[in-house]
Amino acid sequence: MRTSALLLSALLIAGCARNESGVAVRAPLTLDALGIAVREGERSYMQSDKEGAFLTGTVGREADVDRWSVEGVDVFEGISIESAGGTLNAGRPDSALILPDETRRWYRGGTSVTISLLEGIDGIDAHGLVLRVASAPDGMLEARFRTAPGLSPVRPSPYAQGSVWRMADGRLVAVTAGPESVPSQSGILVDSRGAADFIAVVVPGNMSPESADSIYGLIDFLRAHRHARMERLLNASYVRTSDDTLNRALQWIKLSLDGLMIDRRDTLAVAGIPWDGSIDLRANAQSIAGLGLATGDYRRTAAIIRTLARYQDTDRRSPTYGRVADRVDGRRISYRGADVAPWFVRELYEHVVYSNDTALVRSLYPAVRQSIEGTIARHTDKFNFLTHGPDETWMTGVPRGNRAVELQLLWYFQQLIGSYVATFLGDTANARAWWDSSVKTSDNFALQFADTAAGMLADHLLPNGARDMASRPNAIMCLEMLETESMRYRVTRSTVLHLLHNDGVASLGGRRGVTPYDGPVWTWLAGPVTYALTRYDRQDLSYVVTSSMARRALEQDMAGTLPARLDPGSAGDRASLTGMAEFIRTVYQDYLGVRVDLAAGTLTLQPKLPDQLKDAEITVFGGTHPIRVSYARGADEGRIELDAPDLPGEMNVNFLWMMDSGDAWRGSARLRGGIPCTIVLRADDALLFQGETAAEFTARRLLKGFSQKKMAAQFDFAPAG
């Protein structure tokens, strides 16, 4: 009788808000819903044309500032609009609205100025921005551009309808307001009749500045193209939960990450704003998983992985043979990051399991092999630990002996993944050798790093073998290296009690001081700590940090982004690639518990939903195939709904669902392309529906008292000073 009632209930609910194919209709995500209003105080913003041009600015100041740079070279350091009645935007606007694709300001009298970048300009290597003025007083309008050092005016101007400057590298900068405009001393003039569009373009030095005319005629098309592309990205990689603050932060951060991914000679992601044109390959290597989840575009992440491989040291005589560069600045290439190659191999693996891009594995196997060979030959000790210089870890400027704890985890996985890849490609000799060497690293790890009495791991070993037991967050990244659950628990507890604060994770234990903590708070560190806390069902703690970061993205500093560091006066980057990529990864993998292994044909769902997330709708990609997942959590029932409309064949779905009682359902089912799947979970029963037909699980088990929340009840935030 219970089964019949559950079946009827499930079918009734499944019929709500669905289209004719039985698939739930999702409310579309729009850019207009993401507007951040600025009426008091000030906020900064960032825009990207995805080809190396960035527009940044601040609204709400007495004199707003907009800056435009192209490929790390400043073009304009300020832009203002003047009318016959005086300067419009040299004074504080009455209000402003920051959107992902444009920034709007309103001034006294109702005049508005909208500034945005142009993208998708075909046929020429050009960058452009547009200023749209509306409801201005009739008469002449002038756009004035304060050029950056290195630009020189072209006199006389070869462009009758605008002004022209030459950059130090020979490129031309031209501004125009259409066929009726004329050059002015520092910009362009036009008889507005209450409205005008001004554009500035950068074109190659061998092109005529009059090419700006053709771009001017495409303003509306290019603006609409940019707007539509961003909305397509949001709806393709769909996320909506019961926490609207999280939703808006996720959508903003996704678009910010997308803006950091640019195409030059190499596809790369900018590590932060401001950008000086260099490539931070460590940040790129760490961020592959988050970038793929944020956009669902595995072609772009594959291109970034290829960029990383191109900057590998392949000189067998070099002391850094096998390493991937940590930074490229023009022709200067640095190989001072001992962790970059291990991150490269780990994230390559993460990319391949989501995309099943076996061609990439084959083409980059030489890079994987060289990265392992170089380390074994030059940078290992008798324990098969990875050795390095004192300043060759992510904590740049902090001496950390010659064997940092998290590098041993990365090195372990580098060898393990290398063994998997070698097996796949038939290189049995290296497969066996690297497997054996990974076992040696693992077997020695706890013996050398663990202080079992204190329940801690050393942050690093000194050259003489002594342990440095400084309280830092790196140990919590190494739980997989510990064989006993008791030690994993104690390391997690120690890290949380010493370093976790409600706004982030400190990089060194201590009390609040001049900066928020004795060690600065790096935003990306919230990721590994969240992973550890959700393992112990203490997402109630980690979600406080996640919510704080979400609010920060919406309410503080640069709109829709996270900075690299939270401490006041930090010189760290804004719009941090690693911080934002890890935020996205945390939501998808740790809270929503979604992992795809397309190579194995498996979708794993192990959500650890905090109380604020009663329901969630998301789309993840298995290669190019979208998989729609939704969760609904009630007092007496949990529901998982799945749909993969164009999946060729079927996937195995492994799920673990925590009940409020502390019990859990573990099971597996088959997801077939084009057939929606619903799993209904109650305290004493679990049901599966494929379409509207009851089906059988391939496995199903109720785990009584499975939650570890009670065991981790002592976890709490570090005391504040």
Side-chain angles (χ1 to χ4, degrees), residues 621-675:
F621 281 81
T624 58
H625 308 295
I627 305 170
R628 296 158 53 104
V629 181
S630 66
Y631 300 135
R633 184 164 58 91
D636 301 317
E637 180 180 284
R639 299 173 58 81
I640 303 172
E641 297 187 4
L642 302 162
D643 183 46
D646 65 353
L647 184 71
E650 60 182 28
M651 295 185 75
N652 190 55
V653 179
N654 297 325
F655 66 88
L656 176 69
W657 183 271
M658 299 297 305
M659 310 293 288
D660 289 344
S661 64
D663 297 342
W665 279 104
R666 171 174 283 162
S668 58
R670 304 301 293 176
L671 173 64
R672 297 182 175 89
I675 303 176

Side-chain angles (χ1 to χ4, degrees), residues 133-153:
V133 183
S135 301
D138 288 346
M140 298 299 290
L141 276 178
E142 181 182 15
R144 292 187 173 182
F145 301 90
R146 189 168 75 250
T147 57
L151 269 71
S152 56

Side-chain angles (χ1 to χ4, degrees), residues 87-150:
T87 302
L88 290 177
N89 64 334
R92 180 186 177 91
D94 290 342
S95 63
L97 185 69
I98 302 174
L99 290 154
D101 61 332
E102 62 185 29
T103 296
R104 305 172 189 165
R105 299 178 175 102
W106 287 270
Y107 297 89
R108 191 175 307 168
T111 298
S112 67
V113 178
T114 300
I115 186 169
S116 62
L117 290 184
L118 301 174
E119 64 178 59
I121 302 173
D122 291 330
I124 56 175
D125 181 18
H127 306 274
L129 68 79
V130 59
L131 290 132
R132 173 157 287 181
V133 183
S135 301
D138 288 346
M140 298 299 290
L141 276 178
E142 181 182 15
R144 292 187 173 182
F145 301 90
R146 189 168 75 250
T147 57

Side-chain angles (χ1 to χ4, degrees), residues 463-521:
N464 64 3
R467 300 169 178 166
D468 187 315
M469 303 303 297
S471 180
R472 289 179 178 152
N474 303 300
I476 208 168
M477 304 177 205
C478 302
L479 300 182
E480 288 90 348
M481 296 288 281
L482 300 172
E483 294 183 357
T484 67
E485 186 56 45
S486 171
M487 193 62 185
R488 294 189 198 104
Y489 168 83
R490 297 172 72 193
V491 169
T492 303
R493 179 178 180 272
S494 175
T495 303
V496 168
L497 292 177
H498 285 91
L499 301 172
L500 183 66
H501 298 267
N502 57 14
D503 55 354
V505 180
S507 55
L508 181 65
R511 299 170 65 82
R512 289 181 182 267
V514 177
T515 57
Y517 316 107
D518 288 350
V521 174

Side-chain angles (χ1 to χ4, degrees), residues 219-348:
I219 287 176
D220 288 336
F221 170 79
L222 293 173
R223 281 166 50 89
H225 164 81
R226 174 178 167 82
H227 187 96
R229 185 194 63 78
M230 290 182 174
E231 288 194 340
R232 283 196 304 273
L233 184 152
L234 290 181
N235 286 284
S237 61
Y238 193 96
V239 177
R240 190 191 293 275
T241 74
S242 50
D243 184 342
D244 189 56
T245 299
L246 178 68
N247 296 340
R248 297 181 73 236
L250 280 169
Q251 292 158 32
W252 260 107
I253 289 172
K254 282 186 174 191
L255 293 172
S256 297
L257 280 172
D258 178 65
L260 294 180
M261 298 171 69
I262 66 172
D263 292 310
R264 298 193 300 172
R265 184 174 65 87
D266 298 304
T267 299
L268 60 98
V270 172
I273 299 297
W275 182 45
D276 62 4
S278 64
I279 310 174
D280 185 334
L281 286 102
R282 175 187 280 120
N284 275 261
Q286 282 186 252
S287 303
I288 297 297
L291 290 170
L293 291 167
T295 64
D297 188 351
Y298 295 118
R299 293 171 300 177
R300 298 296 298 286
T301 52
I304 292 174
I305 292 169
R306 291 190 186 97
T307 297
L308 291 165
R310 280 197 288 275
Y311 288 105
Q312 184 177 43
D313 185 349
T314 58
D315 182 356
R316 290 184 176 274
R317 298 166 298 176
S318 169
T320 55
Y321 168 65
R323 282 191 178 183
V324 174
D326 61 308
R327 183 170 292 276
V328 176
D329 186 0
R331 295 183 179 180
R332 295 192 300 273
I333 302 176
S334 165
Y335 291 98
R336 293 186 54 79
D339 53 342
V340 183
W343 273 116
F344 159 72
V345 174
R346 182 170 177 171
E347 295 294 284
L348 169 64

Side-chain angles (χ1 to χ4, degrees), residues 333-667:
I333 302 176
S334 165
Y335 291 98
R336 293 186 54 79
D339 53 342
V340 183
W343 273 116
F344 159 72
V345 174
R346 182 170 177 171
E347 295 294 284
L348 169 64
Y349 175 80
E350 187 93 3
H351 166 84
V352 170
V353 298
Y354 271 84
S355 65
N356 199 24
D357 189 352
T358 56
L360 186 68
V361 172
R362 292 180 184 278
S363 66
L364 295 186
Y365 178 58
V368 174
R369 186 185 66 246
Q370 290 165 6
S371 75
I372 298 173
E373 289 174 347
T375 300
I376 290 175
R378 294 175 174 83
H379 299 289
T380 53
D381 64 5
K382 63 183 179 181
F383 304 114
N384 199 40
F385 292 158
L386 188 155
T387 60
H388 54 80
D391 191 27
E392 293 185 343
T393 76
W394 74 270
M395 299 185 78
T396 306
V398 178
R400 297 184 65 208
N402 71 339
R403 285 157 292 181
V405 64
E406 79 280 3
L407 262 68
Q408 309 318 314
L409 171 82
L410 292 168
W411 169 231
Y412 167 73
F413 277 119
Q414 184 180 3
Q415 297 169 88
L416 201 61
I417 292 166
S419 178
Y420 294 159
V421 174
T423 299
F424 173 71
L425 296 177
D427 184 355
T428 56
N430 276 326
R432 170 52 61 185
W434 296 340
W435 174 272
D436 291 343
S437 62
S438 74
V439 171
K440 184 177 180 180
T441 303
S442 178
D443 286 348
N444 284 312
F445 180 80
L447 294 173
Q448 301 303 317
F449 280 88
D451 182 340
T452 54
M456 294 178 63
L457 290 176
D459 178 69
H460 59 268
L461 303 182
L462 298 172
N464 64 3
R467 300 169 178 166
D468 187 315
M469 303 303 297
S471 180
R472 289 179 178 152
N474 303 300
I476 208 168
M477 304 177 205
C478 302
L479 300 182
E480 288 90 348
M481 296 288 281
L482 300 172
E483 294 183 357
T484 67
E485 186 56 45
S486 171
M487 193 62 185
R488 294 189 198 104
Y489 168 83
R490 297 172 72 193
V491 169
T492 303
R493 179 178 180 272
S494 175
T495 303
V496 168
L497 292 177
H498 285 91
L499 301 172
L500 183 66
H501 298 267
N502 57 14
D503 55 354
V505 180
S507 55
L508 181 65
R511 299 170 65 82
R512 289 181 182 267
V514 177
T515 57
Y517 316 107
D518 288 350
V521 174
W522 294 85
T523 51
W524 77 270
L525 291 174
V529 173
T530 297
Y531 165 73
L533 284 170
T534 54
R535 288 182 76 253
Y536 290 99
D537 302 304
R538 289 305 311 271
Q539 52 267 26
D540 58 315
L541 279 182
S542 61
Y543 200 69
V544 172
V545 178
T546 301
S547 296
S548 174
M549 294 171 71
R551 290 193 301 272
R552 185 182 186 94
L554 298 176
E555 299 171 5
Q556 299 181 50
D557 201 47
M558 184 171 277
T561 73
L562 292 172
R565 289 165 50 172
L566 301 187
D567 47 308
S570 167
D573 291 324
R574 301 151 94 187
S576 166
L577 171 62
T578 51
M580 295 191 295
E582 193 63 3
F583 183 88
I584 295 292
R585 188 210 60 76
T586 292
V587 173
Y588 274 83
Q589 294 186 346
D590 298 337
Y591 292 126
L592 301 178
V594 180
R595 293 179 182 268
V596 176
D597 187 342
L598 193 61
T602 300
L603 171 66
T604 299
L605 305 174
Q606 295 185 351
K608 295 296 182 74
L609 303 176
D611 289 341
Q612 294 88 334
L613 302 186
K614 299 296 184 185
D615 56 70
E617 299 175 275
I618 57 177
T619 295
V620 293
F621 281 81
T624 58
H625 308 295
I627 305 170
R628 296 158 53 104
V629 181
S630 66
Y631 300 135
R633 184 164 58 91
D636 301 317
E637 180 180 284
R639 299 173 58 81
I640 303 172
E641 297 187 4
L642 302 162
D643 183 46
D646 65 353
L647 184 71
E650 60 182 28
M651 295 185 75
N652 190 55
V653 179
N654 297 325
F655 66 88
L656 176 69
W657 183 271
M658 299 297 305
M659 310 293 288
D660 289 344
S661 64
D663 297 342
W665 279 104
R666 171 174 283 162

